[in-house]
Amino acid sequence: MTGTAGVVRASVGQCGDTAYYALYSDGSLQITGSGAIYDDAFLRREEISKVMLSEGITKIGDYAFSSTGNDMILGVNYGTESINISSAITSIGERAFQSTRLKTITIPSSVVAIGDNAFNNSALTTAKIESPLMGSYMFVRCSNLRNLTVSKNCKTFGSNMLTYCSGLSTITYEGTITQWNAITKPTNWICSADNYWNGYLTKIQCTDGYLSYDETNHTWNEVKS
């Protein structure tokens, strides 16, 4: 089948118990139906560039769009470049977008479960978290991540979320310093290095000031605006 712009539908199939896909020659993947996308549904499908989800899809399975299994090569990215995470999505599986070419992502407030390493080694430069939690190892090895915005809706952090995110110096938080301090965080929420600090994240910008990292005393100090 050829569309008006000459785009050919390359393949169709099932990717969940009640979810179905159509992959087009330009790399666009349209997923329709409802419920969960299977684990490994599009694992190593490097021809996929853009993913469009219908409002009925509620869960993205483990490794669903990952470009690798356990044979990940650091800094090498393939496959998915963009996806719309709709407000119907409630769960993102383990390593769902590992080593993909995603540049930007927004996690909506509807997402209440995020598996480990969800975006490990992806090409992300910008991420916004509107969900009530951030998963463990969520952005490990995302060395291109420069802009991370966290909504005041976020209440829980996982461990080692930002290990090897060497380009990230500031987190923008859409709440007050008091609200930031109230987030449930493990000691090693940033990384697992000595003193649980990664050497590059130095500032948490809040609406009423910011927190600055003291490398000598290993503390976050408040600076009110």
Side-chain angles (χ1 to χ4, degrees), residues 9 11-15 19-23 29-32 41-42 45:
R9 189 169 66 184
S11 63
V12 296
Q14 189 168 359
C15 56
Y20 305 87
Y21 74 89
L23 177 61
L29 180 72
Q30 178 74 57
I31 298 178
T32 58
F42 301 99
R45 296 291 296 271

Side-chain angles (χ1 to χ4, degrees), residues 9-223:
R9 189 169 66 184
S11 63
V12 296
Q14 189 168 359
C15 56
D17 289 348
T18 53
Y20 305 87
Y21 74 89
L23 177 61
Y24 295 87
S25 59
D26 65 349
S28 298
L29 180 72
Q30 178 74 57
I31 298 178
T32 58
S34 61
I37 298 172
Y38 289 141
D39 294 347
D40 305 332
F42 301 99
L43 176 64
R44 296 192 181 93
R45 296 291 296 271
E46 296 176 10
E47 71 273 28
I48 295 171
S49 59
K50 180 180 181 180
V51 180
M52 297 165 287
L53 304 177
S54 75
E55 289 294 328
I57 302 300
T58 58
K59 179 181 179 181
I60 298 171
D62 297 347
Y63 288 90
F65 297 100
S66 175
S67 71
T68 64
N70 293 320
D71 53 346
M72 179 179 63
I73 301 174
L74 300 184
V76 177
N77 311 98
Y78 301 102
T80 306
E81 294 180 8
S82 66
I83 186 171
N84 65 310
I85 306 291
S86 75
S87 59
I89 297 291
T90 61
S91 178
I92 297 174
E94 177 182 347
R95 300 181 190 269
F97 297 97
Q98 177 172 278
S99 297
T100 58
R101 292 184 291 173
L102 279 176
K103 295 293 193 301
T104 64
I105 195 71
T106 296
I107 309 298
S109 59
S110 58
V111 176
V112 294
I114 301 175
D116 290 355
N117 293 283
F119 298 92
N120 188 344
N121 195 49
S122 67
L124 282 172
T125 62
T126 302
K128 183 171 184 180
I129 311 302
E130 298 174 348
S131 61
L133 78 164
M134 291 178 66
S136 295
Y137 306 94
M138 189 166 177
F139 297 115
V140 169
R141 299 183 181 88
C142 293
S143 58
N144 294 317
L145 186 62
R146 300 286 189 276
N147 303 294
L148 175 59
T149 301
V150 178
S151 166
K152 64 181 179 181
N153 181 57
C154 192
K155 306 300 182 186
T156 306
F157 286 175
S159 61
N160 293 278
M161 298 190 312
L162 303 171
T163 303
Y164 306 123
C165 292
S166 54
L168 185 67
S169 61
T170 301
I171 291 176
T172 300
Y173 178 63
E174 297 180 327
T176 64
I177 291 174
T178 298
Q179 288 172 315
W180 172 269
N181 289 333
I183 295 172
T184 299
K185 313 177 190 73
T187 305
N188 61 339
W189 69 272
I190 298 175
C191 69
S192 57
D194 292 344
N195 304 304
Y196 306 109
W197 178 61
N198 55 24
Y200 35 86
L201 179 62
T202 58
K203 185 177 182 181
I204 312 297
Q205 181 64 59
C206 302
T207 57
D208 60 345
Y210 63 92
L211 294 130
S212 178
Y213 191 76
D214 183 333
E215 297 181 38
T216 302
N217 298 309
H218 307 297
T219 58
W220 287 96
N221 298 329
E222 298 182 9
V223 180

